[in-house]
Amino acid sequence: MTISRALRLMPAVVLVLGLTACTDDDPGSGKGTPASSAAGTTAGTSETTSTAPETPSVEPATGKELSVATVSMRLTDSPGWSVTETAVIVVASLHPDTGGTLNVTVQDAPNLPGRDTDDKAESFERTLSTEPAAPKRVENRVVDGVDCFVLDGRNDDIHHYVVGAVVGDQLFLLQFRVPAGLADGDQMIEQMLASVDIKGA
């Protein structure tokens, strides 16, 4: 991905945070329905369980670090990644030999007072409902010691996987859009998540 193309993608990604950080959620909206689980996750209802599964034991990714104020994460070790960075969002793209584009986004934003991780999960599920492979709420998971919401969606073309949480007065979000034809795509997601450092957690 060229820098100009990445910059064109960034407003749409930032819009997701803007919608959830600056508007009130509809308290009457229903929660998401169960969805197929991603590698290392368990499908469940949109209701948060009291104990979230730990991040699966995999070798953490060791590639370039993507970092914003609240969280950092490393890419898989490949020279093919193209990265565009700002203070609040980092977008990385990789073009695997099997075709398509693997997109990774790391971002954070101030959180509204009184909004918790569950509130944000519901907001993002609604906000992303019109995207390809619209991700649905599945069981929470623990990433770097923090209980995070998970949204998971798949179709014939893409696997859309989202992890996020409220930490202090900040919200962070990790998004993965992986071509369905990439055989080790789920493994790459797990490697990157295993490298996550949630700052101040």
Side-chain angles (χ1 to χ4, degrees):
M1 174 184 288
T2 64
I3 291 178
S4 60
R5 183 181 174 193
L7 290 173
R8 288 198 301 273
L9 287 174
M10 287 169 61
V13 179
V14 173
L15 175 63
V16 173
L17 281 181
L19 287 173
T20 56
C22 300
T23 61
D24 289 333
D25 299 325
D26 178 7
S29 296
K31 294 183 179 179
T33 56
S36 300
S37 61
T41 63
T42 303
T45 66
S46 60
E47 297 179 358
T48 305
T49 57
S50 57
T51 55
E54 291 286 347
T55 303
S57 177
V58 297
E59 287 296 320
T62 58
K64 179 177 175 60
E65 183 179 71
L66 311 182
S67 183
V68 291
T70 307
V71 64
S72 66
M73 182 181 74
R74 290 190 177 276
L75 297 170
T76 55
D77 190 13
S78 169
W81 286 102
S82 173
V83 178
T84 302
E85 303 178 66
T86 73
V88 297
I89 182 171
V90 186
V91 179
S93 299
L94 181 68
H95 301 283
D97 295 337
T98 52
T101 302
L102 194 166
N103 290 310
V104 176
T105 305
V106 176
Q107 60 188 129
D108 64 2
N111 183 49
L112 286 173
R115 297 298 189 185
D116 62 15
T117 295
D118 273 344
D119 295 326
K120 292 305 180 182
E122 294 175 10
S123 295
F124 278 110
E125 185 175 28
R126 290 195 296 271
T127 302
L128 298 173
S129 63
T130 59
E131 292 204 4
K136 300 293 185 181
R137 183 89 185 269
V138 295
E139 189 174 353
N140 283 14
R141 65 182 293 174
V142 173
V143 177
D144 192 33
V146 173
D147 188 21
C148 301
F149 72 77
V150 178
L151 306 177
D152 186 17
R154 295 176 189 262
N155 61 21
D156 291 340
D157 300 316
I158 193 171
H159 179 199
H160 191 174
Y161 195 68
V162 183
V163 175
V166 172
V167 179
D169 60 357
Q170 293 285 114
L171 162 73
F172 77 83
L173 188 73
L174 310 172
Q175 288 199 71
F176 306 87
R177 293 177 176 85
V178 181
L182 186 59
D184 59 347
D186 288 353
Q187 178 73 6
M188 292 175 70
I189 292 175
E190 295 303 331
Q191 288 179 307
M192 287 184 273
L193 287 175
S195 74
V196 166
D197 176 20
I198 301 173
K199 304 167 188 179

